[in-house]
Amino acid sequence: MYGSLGCPRGYGRWWLKILAVGWMMLVMWVAVFIIHAQGEYDESTKSSTSAASSTVTSKDQSIYSNWSKSFLDYDTVYTNSSDVNFPLIVFTTVGRLGNCLNSYATALTFADRFNATIAVSQEIFLSISTLLAPQYLTLPVIASELVVDAYDMGVLETVTPDYIKDDMVSHLLPAIQNAISQYQQNHEQILYLLEGYPNRMKMLSGYHDKIRQNFRIRDDLKEKALLFLKNLRDQMSTKPTFIGFHIRRGDYLNFMETFFKCKIPNETFYLAALKYYRSRFPNAVFVVCSDDVEHMHKNLAGASDIIFSSMS
Ligand SMILES: *[C@@H]1O[C@H](CO)[C@@H](O)[C@H](O)[C@H]1NC(C)=O
Ligand SMILES: *[C@@H]1O[C@H](CO)[C@@H](O)[C@H](O)[C@H]1NC(C)=O
Ligand SMILES: *[C@@H]1O[C@H](CO)[C@@H](O)[C@H](O)[C@H]1NC(C)=O
Ligand SMILES: *[C@@H]1O[C@H](CO)[C@@H](O)[C@H](O)[C@H]1NC(C)=O
C-alpha cells in the first residue's frame, strides 16, 4: 500500500510509524463502527429515533465525575493498599486517541497474568472514554495526582522504550518481570510508568475477545450514527451497503512530506478506491468524514453515492 502511494520503503523514524499505526487503528475503528451500525439498523428502527444526542457534554461530565471517584489515588494506593498488588505498573502515553487505544489494548494483554497491578493513566482513560463506554473498561485507572505524589515520595520509576531502535514493545515484559522481582526482594512500593507508543498489532493476538469486551463504542455515539444512516436509508429506493471513508489530513500533510518523503493519498487514490468498492458492491454508499472538511467537499463532490458526515 505504501509503495502504491509513492512512499519510499525503509523509512525509519519511530514517531512516524506511531502516527501511521495510530491512524490506521482509527480508520479501522471507523470502518468497523459503520459496518456494525449497519448490522444494528433493524433493531434501532424499532426504538426511538429521536436519539441523536445533544446532551453528550453533560453526559461526558457525569461519566467522568462518576469514574474519577474510582481512580486510584494516594489514599487507595499508599494508605490502604489492599486494592493494589505491588508493583504498580501504569501504561501511559502522550499520544492521542489511536495511541491511547493501542496502549490500553497492550496493557490488557498483560493484565491478570502477573502478581502485579497493571493499570493505565487517567489521560489514557479519559481519551478513550470519548469513544468507548467507560463502564466496560476493566483496568484500574491511576489519578494524575498520584503520579505527582509518587514522584514527590521518590517511588516513581519511568520506563521508556528504545526510541532509537524504534522498538516500542520489547522492553515491556522485562520491565514488568524486573519490577516484580525487585518488589519481592525489597518490598518497595514503586509506581512504574511505562511510556511510549506500543502499537504492535501482533502483540494483541490471543487477546481479541478481551479487548472487544473492554472496547465498546458509547451508546450515544452509536445512536447518533444509526440515526444518520437511517435517515440516509429512508431516502433510498434500494438497500445500500454503507462504506466508511476516512480522510486523515491535518498534521499528516507536513509530517508525510518532511519525514516519510512522500505525499498522502490524493484525489487520484480516492477515485481508484471508490472504483474498487463500487465494482464489488453495486449498492455502495460512501460515508465520508475527515479532519479537513473543505478538502473533503472539494474533492469528492458530485457523485450521488457519496455522503458527507456532518462531522458533529
Ligand atoms: C453517575 O452516578 C449517579 C449516582 O450514582 C447515577 O445516577 C448516574 O446514572 C451515573 N451516571 C453515569 C453516566 O453512569
Ligand atoms: C481499605 O480497602 C478495603 C478493600 O477495598 C475496604 O474494605 C476498607 O474499607 C478500606 N479501608 C479504608 C480505611 O479505607
Ligand atoms: C504475590 O505477591 C505477594 C507479595 O509479594 C505475595 O504475598 C503473594 O504470595 C504473591 N502471590 C502469588 C500468587 O504469587
Ligand atoms: C496523486 O499522487 C500520485 C502519487 O504521488 C501522483 O502520481 C499523481 O499525479 C497525483 N495526482 C494528482 C491529481 O495530483
Side-chain angles (χ1 to χ4, degrees), residues 1 11 20 24 29 49 51 71-72 80 102 117 129 144 156 173 180 202 210 240 245 273:
M1 188 56 98
Y11 50 86
M24 284 190 290
W29 269 104
T49 55
F71 292 167
L72 295 183
N80 182 14
N102 274 323
T117 294
S129 296
S144 302
L156 183 71
L173 180 59
I180 291 168
K202 270 188 188 167
K210 192 175 191 179
F245 188 167

Side-chain angles (χ1 to χ4, degrees), residues 93-142:
T93 180
V94 293
R96 291 186 285 173
L97 181 60
N99 284 305
C100 287
L101 288 167
N102 274 323
S103 287
Y104 197 99
T106 305
L108 273 177
T109 70
F110 290 104
D112 309 321
R113 285 169 53 203
F114 301 95
N115 197 0
T117 294
I118 307 285
V120 294
S121 65
Q122 180 178 325
E123 288 74 18
I124 286 183
F125 175 84
L126 293 181
S127 169
I128 68 176
S129 296
T130 61
L131 175 69
L132 306 175
Q135 63 267 36
Y136 301 111
L137 295 168
T138 51
L139 292 176
V141 180
I142 297 298

Side-chain angles (χ1 to χ4, degrees), residues 4-7 262-269:
S4 72
L5 301 179
C7 298
C262 67
K263 293 184 190 320
I264 60 176
N266 58 19
E267 51 276 32
T268 310
F269 179 83

Side-chain angles (χ1 to χ4, degrees), residues 8-188:
R9 292 193 175 274
Y11 50 86
R13 317 241 178 189
W14 58 265
W15 61 88
L16 284 167
K17 286 188 194 167
I18 292 155
L19 289 169
V21 175
W23 171 68
M24 284 190 290
M25 264 294 266
L26 199 58
V27 173
M28 277 159 52
W29 269 104
V30 172
V32 170
F33 185 21
I34 298 284
I35 291 160
H36 190 66
Q38 191 190 355
E40 287 191 0
Y41 168 76
D42 290 339
E43 284 101 282
S44 89
T45 52
K46 289 177 202 138
S47 60
S48 161
T49 55
S50 62
S53 168
S54 58
T55 58
V56 172
T57 309
S58 65
K59 219 170 181 176
D60 275 348
Q61 278 162 2
S62 136
I63 285 169
Y64 295 158
S65 63
N66 278 10
W67 253 266
S68 62
K69 282 177 207 139
S70 55
F71 292 167
L72 295 183
D73 59 7
Y74 178 86
D75 285 341
T76 353
V77 171
Y78 289 107
T79 60
N80 182 14
S81 59
S82 52
D83 285 350
V84 173
N85 216 8
F86 280 100
L88 178 52
I89 313 275
V90 184
F91 280 72
T92 187
T93 180
V94 293
R96 291 186 285 173
L97 181 60
N99 284 305
C100 287
L101 288 167
N102 274 323
S103 287
Y104 197 99
T106 305
L108 273 177
T109 70
F110 290 104
D112 309 321
R113 285 169 53 203
F114 301 95
N115 197 0
T117 294
I118 307 285
V120 294
S121 65
Q122 180 178 325
E123 288 74 18
I124 286 183
F125 175 84
L126 293 181
S127 169
I128 68 176
S129 296
T130 61
L131 175 69
L132 306 175
Q135 63 267 36
Y136 301 111
L137 295 168
T138 51
L139 292 176
V141 180
I142 297 298
S144 302
E145 306 88 63
L146 178 58
V147 176
V148 178
D149 294 338
Y151 176 80
D152 289 344
M153 294 188 295
V155 294
L156 183 71
E157 213 164 289
T158 300
V159 185
T160 52
D162 190 337
Y163 289 118
I164 307 297
K165 282 198 188 144
D166 183 23
D167 182 347
M168 297 291 155
V169 294
S170 299
H171 66 298
L172 295 172
L173 180 59
I176 294 169
Q177 287 168 337
N178 286 340
I180 291 168
S181 74
Q182 285 296 312
Y183 182 72
Q184 279 163 1
Q185 281 164 37
N186 57 25
H187 284 82
E188 273 189 69

